[in-house]
Amino acid sequence: MALFDRLRTEPVYNTRAIVQRTGVPADTFRAWERRYGLPAPARTEGNQRLYSERDAATISWLRDQTRVGVTISQAVHLFRSLRDDPAEPASPVADPVATPLPATERQDDPRLGRFQDDVIKALIDYDAIGASRAVEEALALVGIEDVCLHVLQPALYEIGRRWAAGEIGISVEHFASAFVIHKLGALFNLSQPEHGRGPIIAACLEGELHEVGLLLTCLFLSRHGYRILYLGPNLPLDDLIDLTQRLRPPLILLSASTAEAAAHLAAASHEIRARCRIHDEPNPLPPAIGFGGLVFIDRPELHRGVEGVFLGQNADDAISAVDRVFDRAIA
């Protein structure tokens, strides 16, 4: 990073010249400027941006980081730490990798609504290529958590609403669900879930087929530094217990979307706790159980039947709940 300090800081390049030098679209690095304060161009008397050699190098460096899979928020954080730059981003946006915020606090980029609309339209047209293109454009501008919470998740919800209202067929809903699960799965695999604290076993029990919420939570937890063994939907309880007895994870995550599935989850939580005590160990405690799902949000009275920790109403709550479980285990 010392090379940056040797680059000229005189503002001499207009926006078009920077696009040609870096290959980064103007809309992209302007979004970086608004959201993170990088680059920081000068302004002419006519309020036109002028960039320096150092600005061009900064944009190129951020571009290279995002091309190898680093999110723009991570790249900015790394850039500042390498340069020992105490400056804060231009807008008060938390690093979504470290502290995912509730949806109501994080949707500050109006383009996310456009990407959401593009994804919805493409999925209704069975256009996976168009939907993927909209997702990739969004990922080039904002963090993965923002794309998941403000593009993919609400797009799937809106398609489900339209199906329930009879506006579209069930095949569209199935196609959209498969697309979102595929995208979340790809992002999850890229998040290096095999590394970190844990392991955490995550699954939907037999009869529960709605995995989007659990997969989204696992993606965020993986990016937060947890090792996740994601087993997907419709897992028989005996298989989960066999794996738990073998691996002895500190935490199991379960999800339910209906009252019937919640009742099954509650009964399973007691059986897991009873059958997974390790009596020949100094600490015979069974793994903790974290549970979530829309039905537990809509009907809080169902919490009482589960022997476990409610993960909360959003990804931020889930990460905080898991952090508390691990902190207690360490203590």
Side-chain angles (χ1 to χ4, degrees):
M1 280 296 178
L3 291 175
F4 276 85
D5 296 327
R6 302 176 190 173
L7 297 173
R8 299 176 67 87
T9 58
E10 293 85 353
V12 294
Y13 301 107
N14 62 20
T15 298
R16 182 177 180 181
I18 292 297
V19 171
Q20 292 176 340
R21 287 172 65 94
T22 66
V24 179
D27 285 346
T28 298
F29 58 76
R30 284 173 181 166
W32 296 348
E33 176 192 342
R34 288 192 300 271
R35 190 172 178 86
Y36 302 105
L38 283 177
R43 297 275 185 162
T44 67
E45 292 184 0
N47 204 33
Q48 300 298 310
R49 292 174 174 84
L50 282 181
Y51 299 84
S52 66
E53 286 187 0
R54 188 178 297 182
D55 290 327
T58 299
I59 293 170
S60 296
W61 189 88
L62 294 174
R63 173 205 65 204
D64 293 342
Q65 299 305 304
T66 59
R67 283 180 175 175
V68 297
V70 178
T71 67
I72 184 59
S73 59
Q74 288 175 311
V76 169
H77 178 75
L78 179 60
F79 181 89
R80 294 189 188 282
S81 64
L82 290 175
R83 298 207 65 216
D84 196 23
D85 185 354
E88 293 296 325
S91 58
V93 179
D95 180 1
V97 175
T99 54
L101 299 176
T104 53
E105 295 183 41
R106 298 180 57 204
Q107 192 171 7
D108 55 3
D109 193 324
R111 285 168 301 182
L112 289 172
R114 176 175 66 83
F115 292 128
Q116 180 190 135
D117 292 341
D118 290 345
V119 169
I120 292 171
K121 182 180 183 304
L123 292 177
I124 290 176
D125 292 338
Y126 301 98
D127 180 9
I129 295 177
S132 293
R133 185 182 302 113
V135 172
E136 294 303 320
E137 290 177 3
L139 286 170
L141 296 176
V142 299
I144 287 176
E145 285 81 0
D146 279 318
V147 174
C148 291
L149 291 176
H150 304 306
V151 178
L152 290 173
Q153 194 173 43
L156 188 59
Y157 175 84
E158 174 60 17
I159 287 175
R161 185 198 66 78
R162 295 187 190 186
W163 167 72
E167 299 173 12
I168 57 177
I170 186 63
S171 61
V172 176
E173 195 274 338
H174 284 191
F175 179 80
S177 295
F179 175 86
V180 171
I181 290 170
H182 174 75
K183 284 298 178 185
L184 292 178
L187 293 171
F188 175 70
N189 291 333
L190 288 172
S191 71
Q192 297 185 312
E194 63 274 12
H195 299 293
R197 293 196 293 171
I200 297 172
I201 294 177
C204 297
L205 292 174
E206 192 169 17
E208 177 58 68
L209 303 177
H210 294 84
E211 63 175 312
V212 172
L214 183 63
L215 182 54
L216 180 64
T217 298
C218 288
L219 168 60
F220 284 22
L221 287 171
S222 175
R223 288 171 54 75
H224 193 66
Y226 286 100
R227 179 186 169 199
I228 309 292
L229 275 68
Y230 182 72
L231 305 181
N234 203 32
L235 182 73
L237 177 59
D238 285 342
D239 291 282
L240 174 61
I241 289 176
D242 287 345
L243 181 61
T244 300
Q245 290 172 335
R246 182 157 62 91
L247 295 184
R248 302 180 184 180
L251 179 64
I252 297 172
L253 300 184
L254 302 174
S255 178
S257 61
T258 66
E260 181 180 2
H264 185 199
L265 188 156
S269 70
H270 294 277
E271 188 167 354
I272 292 169
R273 299 278 291 178
R275 292 173 57 183
C276 294
R277 292 183 180 274
I278 312 299
H279 297 289
D280 59 344
E281 292 285 335
N283 180 8
L285 292 177
I289 295 174
F291 66 95
L294 184 60
V295 68
F296 290 111
I297 297 174
D298 293 340
R299 298 181 56 183
E301 70 275 10
L302 296 177
H303 298 186
R304 293 192 296 268
V306 184
E307 190 173 356
V309 177
F310 177 51
L311 296 178
Q313 300 193 26
N314 53 52
D316 187 48
D317 291 345
I319 290 176
S320 297
V322 171
D323 284 343
R324 288 193 295 270
V325 169
F326 274 77
D327 289 345
R328 285 197 298 269
I330 293 173

